[in-house]
Amino acid sequence: MLQHYGPQLINLLASLMLLLAFAMLAQRRIMSLINLFAAQGFTLFLSTALVAWLTDQSHLYGSALLTLVLKVIALPWILHRLIRRLNVKWDVETLINIPSTMLIGIVLVILAFNLALPIALLAGTLTKGTLGIALACVLLSFLMMITRSKAVPQVIGFLSMENGLFFAATAAAYGMPMVIEFGIALDVLVGMVILGIFFFRIRERFDSLDTRHLEKLKEH
Amino acid sequence: MPLEMLLLLASPLAGGLVLALTGHWRWAAEANAAFSALTFAAAVALVTRVVAEGPFEALQRQFFVDPLNVFLVALTAFVGMTTALFSRPYMRVERQHGRVSDGGMRLYHSMYQLFTFTMLLVLTTNNLGIMWVAMEAATLTTVLLVALYRSHASLEAAWKYFILCGVGIAQALLGTILVYFAAEKILGAGPDALLWTQLDTVKGQLDPAVLSIAFVFLLVGYGTKVGLVPLHNWLPDAHAEGPTPVSAVLSGLLLNVALYALIRFKVITDGALERPFASNLMMGFGLLSVAVAALFLSRQRDIKRMFAYSSVEHMGLITFAFGLGGPVASFAGLLHMTMHSLTKSAIFFAVGHATQKAGTQIMAEIRGLIRLSPTIGWGLTLGTVAILGLPPFGVFASEFLILTQAIARAPWAAPILLVSLGISFAAILGKVQPMVFGEPQLSLLSKSRLPYRPALLPVFAHLLLVLMFGLYMPPYLANWYRQAALLIG
């Protein structure tokens, strides 16, 4: 039964990923943004686990587990703690207003599908249809990083880009070798810890986490 | 795994862990230098082994050494050692001036070793995925070093460095995923599909369309770390605001290592496409970097920023040379890589002491170094003369080779290169000359000496090596470079 609906389910989860990427782009509240990020991680976990089950790629279970631990539990937890410790509950400020951001986002999705087309044609995987969505997620997170002015949303954009990349790896080649996925996960985790330290330093210096304070170094 | 190789990687890793706990002790700087010296000894032993036995793979092919990477390993370990020697008095002065806390010293020493470790891992790993992981780790270890002073500007520089290189390296991951996607069709799924030696043997069968898209992402990704225009924005800030030893290793080593990663992918991509797609892209980006950096050079006011732009220029020149390809241009590129990292780190050593002495990094306020301290003044002068490509220094030899190759094989590019080199020559010389020979401010003359004797041995050791390369290149070294150049194609 599930075998039969499997590919469609994967497509459904992929569209959910894209939807969540857009939701993150439109989200104004920082707490909800973190929850959306966790939800995206959970969708990624579900789809990776499903692909693992459908294709008997046992190493993908490991990858799925890694996603669950890191992206659904650890990182959102760290982010929530950070927000509480920093005691900032501000809303997300955008540099471009949200409707225009969404429009740019749609253009990016079209671009991503075009870029993915020649690669997807070569792919023999069950998931090749979702490659376009994976690239779109990457580009949308990129857009989010560019259009946010506060440090935490920029970082969530960065982490969500990593989600998109993992999704792309699953879509194109049933994931990267396990050693490398572990390495990437370790880098992300260490990076997050360093960023945590960094947030405190930025705030101690500027009393705010607005990266617009960080625009003094320019060419004269 | 051969013992030398194990020691090469274990020494900085152990150093990083030990110094994380003891990095603020009185002898920490000596320990830091000792770990770096041990790493260098291991690198020398590794070189001897490769010279005697030829290239080899280790640990089930996960690591490999050939003339190309062993040369960079030796260079990285050497500059790592001399920079550790330089940072011994430099960081003590900073500590005394109260710019760094005890925790800061611990962080500095530990991260310095771990940074060396990640670079050596990038160089020796055979697995392109691990290469990416180590490259990202190299960014992470240096982010906090750039922000060490916790000043407004250094926090900003570190943030920019983190975000730009983070985004860049994410593009490189996408590129690596695409390469894996192309490779697993031929080599089968699993970690072996990302082994460079494996890919190199089957590169003709890899899908050209996928590889060309992958290389664009890789160029953007690793190119950000090389500091290629227009992805170079983080570089001047990170160089200017971090502690000077960090500027020296960023400029002298990290940029090289990132370029090394790019070269490895270039070999595979050009092999798969059977036309010089990757090479042409590298030539274009290289040329753009040389031209844009030359224009920005004359507008700089901060001395470390100016030399950071000079690094952008030289990395552009090297990228151009590798893009041009062929035995002579690749040879010249490798030689210039060596000369640039030796000269630029020597300059940063001299600049570091000069700014400590003058108490500022603004060039207009530094005057008459030659009277404040003749050795620092001469160090900076000779370093500048060397980096500008004047004979008899080695930079002249490599730049001359690159230019003659450009004139012979890409005549359209030669005028751009010549004009840019001319502009940067005038800009740098015009700014360094008054700093060294100008009239010093009286207040500076009466200032007491630095509390610790500056380490100028590394400056002159580097410059002497550069001079040697310019006057006489030992045949075995030339042979070694020739072999490495053949690997690049």
Side-chain angles (χ1 to χ4, degrees):
Chain A
M1 182 70 177
L2 193 56
Q3 204 73 327
H4 181 67
Y5 289 110
Q8 278 154 26
L9 255 177
I10 289 171
N11 285 341
L12 180 69
L13 287 171
S15 4
L16 206 58
M17 286 273 294
L18 189 64
L19 205 63
L20 282 167
F22 269 109
M24 283 163 89
L25 213 52
Q27 184 53 248
R28 286 175 185 280
R29 292 178 45 81
I30 189 82
M31 286 298 183
S32 320
L33 191 60
I34 299 174
N35 292 340
L36 281 173
F37 168 70
Q40 198 188 35
F42 191 67
T43 317
L44 180 64
F45 156 73
L46 280 184
S47 77
T48 316
L50 189 61
V51 174
W53 188 73
L54 287 173
T55 58
D56 279 330
Q57 299 274 334
S58 52
H59 78 275
L60 272 182
Y61 285 116
S63 166
L65 199 67
L66 203 62
T67 309
L68 184 67
V69 173
L70 189 71
K71 305 246 169 79
V72 185
I73 301 169
L75 291 179
W77 182 75
I78 296 177
L79 282 167
H80 269 299
R81 257 185 77 95
L82 263 178
I83 298 294
R84 228 177 310 132
R85 285 273 301 278
L86 289 166
N87 201 18
V88 273
K89 289 206 179 59
W90 19 248
D91 292 341
V92 176
E93 279 178 37
T94 56
L95 298 176
I96 310 175
N97 67 36
I98 286 186
S100 330
T101 319
M102 301 299 259
L103 283 177
I104 301 173
I106 292 171
V107 176
L108 285 181
V109 173
I110 297 169
L111 190 78
F113 272 82
N114 267 322
L115 191 67
L117 207 60
I119 306 172
L121 281 179
L122 290 163
T125 51
L126 187 69
T127 43
K128 60 183 175 188
T130 57
L131 193 62
I133 291 186
L135 285 181
C137 287
V138 174
L139 292 181
L140 286 176
S141 329
F142 200 22
L143 181 64
M144 183 168 143
M145 286 184 77
I146 297 170
T147 54
R148 296 295 182 267
S149 68
K150 292 267 165 69
V152 176
Q154 283 180 352
V155 167
I156 295 178
F158 179 67
L159 293 172
S160 143
M161 191 187 305
E162 216 89 50
N163 271 352
L165 287 171
F166 264 73
F167 195 55
T170 317
Y174 293 143
M176 298 286 273
M178 206 55 217
V179 203
I180 295 160
E181 293 209 354
F182 263 120
I184 297 170
L186 187 72
D187 274 345
V188 170
L189 197 63
V190 173
M192 200 53 226
V193 172
I194 290 181
L195 271 174
I197 302 172
F198 214 71
F199 284 158
F200 282 100
R201 293 215 183 146
I202 294 183
R203 210 183 58 126
E204 146 197 320
R205 183 60 60 181
F206 305 114
D207 279 333
S208 130
L209 278 177
D210 194 329
T211 53
R212 274 175 296 190
H213 289 298
L214 301 178
E215 284 171 3
K216 294 264 163 59
L217 291 177
K218 278 195 181 134
E219 289 311 326
H220 306 288
Chain B
M1 199 164 178
L3 191 64
E4 302 91 324
M5 191 122 168
L6 196 65
L7 189 64
L8 182 78
L9 294 170
S11 156
L13 188 59
L17 298 179
V18 170
L19 288 167
L21 301 171
T22 62
H24 58 297
W25 290 10
R26 216 153 47 82
W27 45 264
E30 280 76 17
N32 188 35
F35 277 116
S36 297
L38 188 63
T39 312
F40 179 60
V44 170
L46 193 67
V47 170
T48 348
R49 179 188 275 261
V50 173
V51 169
E53 298 174 14
F56 64 87
E57 296 172 336
L59 207 75
Q60 289 157 343
R61 296 184 302 180
Q62 289 303 311
F63 291 89
F64 84 123
V65 179
D66 63 10
L68 175 58
N69 63 7
V70 85
F71 129 80
L72 279 166
V73 164
L75 185 67
T76 304
F78 178 70
V79 177
M81 179 180 70
T82 48
T83 309
L85 287 174
F86 155 72
S87 85
R88 207 168 59 95
Y90 182 86
M91 290 310 286
R92 279 192 178 142
V93 173
E94 297 292 282
R95 177 84 191 81
Q96 192 143 19
H97 287 177
R99 295 185 77 184
V100 193
S101 62
D102 268 353
M105 290 302 271
R106 228 165 47 210
L107 183 78
Y108 169 78
H109 284 124
S110 165
M111 287 301 163
Y112 184 85
Q113 289 296 327
L114 288 180
F115 176 55
T116 316
F117 169 73
T118 53
M119 281 192 296
L120 291 170
L121 189 59
V122 173
L123 291 173
T124 51
T125 184
N126 194 5
N127 191 319
L128 295 175
I130 301 294
M131 184 190 258
W132 183 89
V133 172
M135 207 68 190
E136 167 78 358
T139 315
L140 294 178
T141 50
T142 35
V143 163
L144 287 180
L145 288 186
V146 171
L148 194 66
Y149 294 145
R150 298 195 186 196
S151 65
H152 186 146
S154 73
L155 278 173
E156 179 181 340
W159 179 254
K160 218 180 204 179
Y161 177 41
F162 182 87
I163 287 295
L164 276 175
C165 282
V167 171
I169 208 89
Q171 312 297 315
L173 179 59
L174 189 53
T176 311
I177 291 173
L178 289 173
V179 170
Y180 176 67
F181 163 67
E184 57 120 43
K185 299 220 162 333
I186 292 146
L187 296 166
D192 285 3
L194 273 175
L195 294 184
W196 187 84
T197 43
Q198 296 275 80
L199 284 169
D200 191 39
T201 50
V202 298
K203 61 188 174 193
Q205 304 165 39
L206 298 173
D207 185 79
V210 177
L211 263 266
S212 54
I213 298 176
F215 189 77
V216 173
F217 280 111
L218 288 161
L219 183 67
V220 171
Y222 289 131
T224 311
K225 298 214 84 173
V226 181
L228 295 177
V229 174
L231 314 155
H232 67 289
N233 271 330
W234 63 274
L235 196 144
D237 296 339
H239 280 62
E241 305 306 332
T244 309
V246 176
S247 322
V249 283
L250 281 182
S251 217
L253 301 178
L254 181 71
L255 308 185
N256 275 355
V257 171
L259 186 55
Y260 163 82
L262 210 51
I263 295 171
R264 288 288 187 203
F265 281 107
K266 174 218 154 192
V267 172
I268 295 173
T269 310
D270 276 351
L273 267 69
E274 289 169 345
R275 64 196 161 86
F277 170 75
S279 299
N280 288 344
L281 273 180
M282 282 175 79
M283 274 168 79
F285 271 92
L287 213 54
L288 186 67
S289 307
V290 175
V292 172
L295 293 178
F296 273 109
L297 266 171
S298 56
R299 297 171 54 186
Q300 300 310 312
R301 297 189 304 177
D302 180 309
I303 183 164
K304 282 164 81 180
R305 250 184 119 77
M306 180 180 76
F307 282 113
Y309 271 106
S310 150
S311 290
V312 173
E313 183 201 0
H314 285 277
M315 289 325 280
L317 194 60
I318 300 167
T319 310
F320 174 81
F322 288 136
L324 200 57
V328 185
S330 298
F331 177 93
L334 288 171
L335 186 63
H336 199 66
M337 233 173 172
T338 321
M339 293 304 104
H340 173 252
S341 72
L342 289 174
T343 318
K344 192 51 73 57
S345 40
I347 289 177
F348 271 117
F349 300 159
V351 164
H353 287 310
T355 51
Q356 275 186 338
K357 211 140 188 124
T360 174
Q361 285 180 203
I362 306 298
M363 286 186 277
E365 294 168 17
I366 306 176
R367 286 290 177 263
L369 281 173
I370 206 101
R371 286 186 47 204
L372 291 176
S373 159
T375 35
I376 295 177
W378 278 113
L380 185 60
T381 312
L382 289 176
T384 307
V385 166
I387 204 72
L388 289 176
L390 285 177
F393 287 100
V395 182
F396 170 75
S398 51
E399 277 186 357
F400 183 76
L401 273 177
I402 295 175
L403 280 175
T404 45
Q405 279 294 305
I407 290 166
R409 296 180 32 221
W412 52 272
I416 306 177
L417 285 178
L418 279 169
V419 170
S420 309
L421 287 176
I423 294 174
S424 48
F425 187 95
I428 295 182
L429 200 65
K431 299 206 173 197
V432 171
Q433 200 271 341
M435 272 196 290
V436 177
F437 296 104
E439 227 8 75
Q441 282 167 342
L442 289 172
S443 60
L444 280 178
L445 272 177
S446 56
K447 227 182 195 171
S448 59
R449 304 162 63 85
L450 290 175
Y452 293 94
R453 233 162 62 80
L456 287 159
L457 187 71
V459 180
F460 291 103
H462 281 200
L463 291 177
L464 209 64
L465 270 174
V466 175
L467 186 65
M468 183 202 85
F469 271 95
L471 293 174
Y472 168 72
M473 197 163 174
Y476 67 92
L477 269 180
N479 195 25
W480 184 12
Y481 276 109
R482 228 169 272 137
Q483 280 178 24
L486 283 183
L487 288 171
I488 299 170

